[in-house]
Amino acid sequence: MSKERGAVDSVNPVNSLNTNVLSSRAGVVHQRISSIGPCLRGTWFQLRSLAQTTFFIQNALLTPVCFALMKIVAYVALGENVALFAHDMWIDAAIAGLWSSTVTATGIIGYQRYMGTLQYLAASVVSPSAVFFPIVASAALLGVLGIPAALATVAIFAFTSLSISVFNIIGYALAMLACVASAAFLAGFFVFFSKATAYEPLILIPVWMLCGIVTPISNLPLPIQVVAFIHPLTSAVWVAHATTVNTGMIGMVFLSLGLSCVLLCVASYMLKRALHMAIKEGSLDIL
């Protein structure tokens, strides 16, 4: 029976071709799954490395504190009861700190050059995405340290107790994914700029203003709302502010996930292109 099946396969090359295609796809999937562990360990290592640098720690901790204080002062100046807005205020401040850490990815590859490790990373035998993803992801994820700072600031100065809802957790998780994807995109885009850190304020403030943490997205003009929802962080903030499960909230979850995946795919190509140009043309000054 096996001989007959082998004879049929040899006569029909389509079956053999389909088998080879499926095997190659299975190999790619297995390779990507097996690379998750090293990426996570690399991200943890990079997080500990960045945590030893005063600038990154100050940025992650002080930004949510200052953002929360800014909103508290604004509500007091308007004569509002700050305690009524405290629930959304802390999550807004935490996401503000997360995005502030994310924009440091504009110069994170240049920082590796400054540390003297970029040439060894570029010469690695693993894929560029596996090499650079832990670096850019750690730049964004360091902002998670701002959660306790945001909670403490709002609880102390708003004179109220705070609660964390399921929507806050889901929204913040989506915000983390959006920020990691954005960090990878920013790193790939600004890698060839000699003074990339000069562009950080130009990226920080507009996203703050448009994503819904400074003012509700519904307060913006309709054309601005359309532009704002191009970035996955806007829909993540929408979910974090939600109070009930409905089709709109579920749609925002999938919108944020989809846009983050698109950013990650584009960033992967950009980082591969950057590494290729670095090796072939010496564009990153690593040789």
Side-chain angles (χ1 to χ4, degrees), residues 1 10 40 57 66 70-71 86 94 100 104 123 126 131 137 149 178 220 262:
M1 187 67 181
S10 62
L40 292 177
I57 287 294
C66 295
M70 177 191 69
K71 297 202 75 171
S100 181
T104 61
V126 299
V131 171
L220 301 176
V262 170

Side-chain angles (χ1 to χ4, degrees), residues 103-114:
V103 298
T104 61
T106 56
I108 196 66
I109 294 181
Y111 179 70
Q112 297 298 319
R113 185 195 299 116
Y114 168 78

Side-chain angles (χ1 to χ4, degrees), residues 38-261:
C39 280
L40 292 177
R41 290 192 295 270
T43 303
W44 176 244
F45 172 80
Q46 294 294 337
L47 275 171
R48 289 184 297 171
S49 177
L50 292 181
Q52 297 175 2
T53 305
T54 306
F55 166 76
F56 294 107
I57 287 294
Q58 287 181 344
N59 181 64
L61 294 178
L62 295 182
T63 299
V65 172
C66 295
F67 190 90
L69 291 175
M70 177 191 69
K71 297 202 75 171
I72 291 172
V73 170
Y75 283 125
V76 171
L78 293 173
E80 301 285 352
N81 185 359
V82 179
L84 298 178
F85 303 93
H87 179 73
D88 287 339
M89 196 184 303
W90 81 262
I91 190 68
D92 290 343
I95 293 176
L98 190 64
W99 180 249
S100 181
S101 293
T102 299
V103 298
T104 61
T106 56
I108 196 66
I109 294 181
Y111 179 70
Q112 297 298 319
R113 185 195 299 116
Y114 168 78
M115 296 293 291
T117 58
L118 184 58
Q119 62 268 33
Y120 303 107
L121 294 172
S124 176
V125 296
V126 299
S127 65
S129 56
V131 171
F132 291 112
F133 177 80
I135 299 172
V136 298
S138 62
L141 294 177
L142 194 66
V144 176
L145 296 176
I147 293 179
L151 284 168
T153 303
V154 175
I156 293 172
F157 291 95
F159 304 103
T160 185
S161 59
L162 298 175
S163 60
I164 302 176
S165 68
V166 176
F167 300 104
N168 294 152
I169 297 174
I170 296 174
Y172 192 83
L174 291 172
M176 289 172 59
L177 178 61
C179 286
V180 168
S182 299
F185 178 83
L186 292 173
F189 183 80
F190 286 99
V191 66
F192 297 115
F193 289 74
S194 59
K195 296 181 179 180
T197 55
Y199 300 94
E200 290 183 8
L202 301 178
I203 305 168
L204 176 68
I205 304 301
V207 175
W208 271 4
M209 298 298 296
L210 295 178
C211 73
I213 60 176
V214 173
T215 184
I217 192 72
S218 58
N219 292 344
L220 301 176
L222 183 59
I224 303 299
Q225 292 184 33
V226 175
V227 174
F229 276 107
I230 295 176
H231 196 277
L233 190 60
T234 305
S235 45
V237 173
W238 182 288
V239 174
H241 289 170
T243 55
T244 58
V245 178
N246 50 43
T247 54
M249 192 276 286
I250 296 175
M252 289 298 172
V253 171
F254 285 103
L255 177 62
S256 182
L257 290 173
L259 292 173
S260 296
C261 290

